[in-house]
Amino acid sequence: AELDTLDLVVLAAILLGTLAYFTKGKYWGIVKDPYATAFANANGAKAGRTRNIVEKMDESGKNCVIFYGSQTGTAEDYASRLAKEGKSRFGLETMVADLEEYDFDNLDTVPSDKVVMFVLATYGEGEPTDNAVDFYEFITGDDVALSEGNDPALGSLNYVAFGLGNNTYEHYNSMVRNVDKALQKLGAHRIGEAGEGDDGAGTMEEDFLAWKDPMWAALAAKMGLEEREAVYEPTFGIVDRDNLTRDSTEVYLGEPNKMHLEGTAKGPFNAHNPYIAPIAESRELFSAKDRNCIHLDIDVSGSNLTYQTGDHIAVWPTNPGDEVDRFLDVIGLTEKRNHVISVKALEPTAKVPFPTPTTYDAIVRYHLEVCAPVSRQFVATLAAFSPSDEIKAEMTRLGNDKDYFHDKTGPHFYNIARLLATVGKGQKWTNIPFSAFIEGLNKLQPRYYSISSSSLVQPKKISITAVVESQMIPGRSEPFRGVATNYLFALKQKQNGDPKPEPFGQTYELDGPRNKYDGVHVPVHVRHSNFKLPSDPGKPVIMIGPGTGVAPFRGFVQERARQAREGAEVGRTLLFFGCRKSTEDFMYESEWAEYKKDLGDKFEMVTAFSRESNKKVYVQHRLKERSKEVNELLQKKAFFYVCGDAANMAREVNSVLAQIIAEGRGVSEQKGEEVVKHMRAANQYQEDVW
Ligand code: FAD
């Protein structure tokens, strides 16, 4: 294939970018992430902190560090749990560390009486999480520059590894696999198996629990550790601040950082620092009564936030009031919900995951993932604090017996408060130290959405297309409701003057801490992605986006329509969309017709309505019907995009495409698969799936 000028420009840019990237990987500390640095400066947070892990462990008296590479907080949570367990069961002096905050060129000086653990999530297409990029490039690089020049380089390093992945992705757990391989190659000694958790099969938690026990046994043997009766020691101390009230200016009521507290919030806006954005417009996209899908336009003109078509926007949700109430009630804190407290780390390497002084209400509402499924290990930890012996026996059984736990909790979608309320049979759990919740619950995580607008058309207005999460639960009157999407739904209701903005009886603090989100505002930041249109609009594109998977393709088509209107030569633009019924959940139906006015025959939308005939028709069936054209377009170097459901759709589209290529080119299916693999490697096949 010939390269045109635009391609060359893009290639040059990629090369330069790659060079900068690797340079950054080798000469630590010289070129830093401008965002991280600006944020650190703005907050004075990281100033003066050592990036030398050996030094850090020495000065804090630690013999075990647990590094995490985490995107959504789960790996970080597992790291904390390992730290806690190592300390309570074996008396290890543990610390948890963000991979991003340390350098690794002296990993060869970690003495053999210490152990380094890695808890590593694999993100997207087998990529490291944002905070693990530098480490990953370093450790898997061809020429790992370690300080001492030992042979083998990491001969004295003892390590433990666990990965978090999703088997529906092509590069299942590639982070932990590749890091493990790299460490082995450098002569390091792994203790226990390299564990792998599978989110795709829904067994992440159980995979983790099943992996860690033999790992601890192997570690105890290797390091001569003796197991003791596990004693709970709080990581955080709670200090009552009786001289402060929730109206005192220094008290955080949900503000994410000091700038937000003081009303001086400014960019860069990122995963540590959201922009409180006005919602310009919001509306419903479905006409079905019992299902909701919403479109939001987020106005970022008051910030320096930018995006490119295909990027993701992160929404920072708050928990619904009824769940906050339930949680505070079951642990007997309703009366004290507005008491001001400070939370102090009781040991130097622990970090309080939210700013204080604050209130119990603000912690539960803004900072803890209290609605998430309960973890079996956490239930086991809480057993010791049961209000009666009978309840303790039940909690212990739930904590130890996997099948019993899943029978009892699985069908009910219990979160922690619902479980405690059920098991406690009305008794309050007043013995649980509040520290246990800070340690045992995940931090409330931002939710990502594929931006559904084009940055060319609306650079300062970011669109979101989201289905409101709701699932019927047998035996419960009201369905399970997702955190972020119901929060967004409530904002939409408010904006549209609905007399009952609280959807389904759930109340949200829509005005935010100190009414700072008054009007209709939502905290957001933008995450850049690699899901991108070809730089040359003349290239053909094939897009597969059923349901909300169509989100980024609304942006893509919007962009190409604008380019066509402005006179660019735009290539074939083929979109496969699927939903249940044309009359029910056909999103943006009238908009597509508008885009067609600009794009003419270049644009075609192929629809699959799964519930309009006896036979269920999905996008992959329609794709198959278009085999001939699809194959021809691919031979003309069309870009191929898939967005939406990772579990089934994306996989099936992949295999249908391999068949199309095999048949169209008269090669074996295996060869077809290989062609698809090459397309992926060359970015000609891009996925944005969740
Ligand atoms: P959550 O409260 O997070 O619940 C999500 C699921 O977790 C539930 O459905 C349930 O299966 C499980 N769960 C939660 N709590 C419990 C419990 N107590 N017991 C048992 N199970 C439980 N979504 C879109 O609609 N549009 C998009 O464009 C889009 N783009 C995305 C792009 C990326 C890169 C990613 C990673 C995700 C994207 N998503 C998108 C998904 C989105 O981020 C959210 O996951 C989704 O909106 C649900 O969020 P929620 O807070 O409402 O639900």
Side-chain angles (χ1 to χ4, degrees), residues 232 234-239 324 327-328 331-333 336-337 339 341-344 352-354 356 358-365 367-368 370 378 382 385 429-441:
Y232 175 79
T235 306
F236 303 102
I238 312 293
V239 186
V324 176
F327 182 90
L328 291 170
I331 59 172
L333 279 179
K336 287 184 77 181
R337 67 191 305 158
H339 278 216
I341 54 171
S342 282
V343 179
K344 303 254 188 274
V352 183
F354 42 78
T356 77
T358 183
T359 64
Y360 290 110
D361 186 287
I363 295 172
V364 177
R365 194 179 295 276
H367 300 296
L368 296 180
V370 292
F378 191 43
L382 296 186
F385 307 105
W429 295 70
T430 50
N431 300 328
I432 305 175
F434 196 73
S435 175
F437 293 112
I438 306 175
E439 299 152 27
L441 296 176

Side-chain angles (χ1 to χ4, degrees), residues 123 312 371-373 413-415 447-450 465-467 469 471 480-486 548 551 688-690:
Y123 193 65
H312 299 136
C371 296
F413 276 59
Y414 282 142
N415 55 37
R447 280 20 178 208
Y448 289 101
Y449 295 90
S450 302
T465 308
V467 158
E469 273 290 325
Q471 288 177 48
F480 162 83
R481 306 213 175 267
V483 174
T485 48
N486 285 278
T548 44
D688 182 23
V689 293
W690 60 83

Side-chain angles (χ1 to χ4, degrees), residues 290-291 410-413 467-482 485-486 504 580:
D290 53 340
R291 291 164 69 215
H412 304 290
F413 276 59
V467 158
V468 180
E469 273 290 325
S470 155
Q471 288 177 48
M472 291 307 293
I473 301 168
R476 198 161 109 187
S477 55
E478 83 282 26
F480 162 83
R481 306 213 175 267
T485 48
N486 285 278
F504 326 114
R580 291 186 189 171

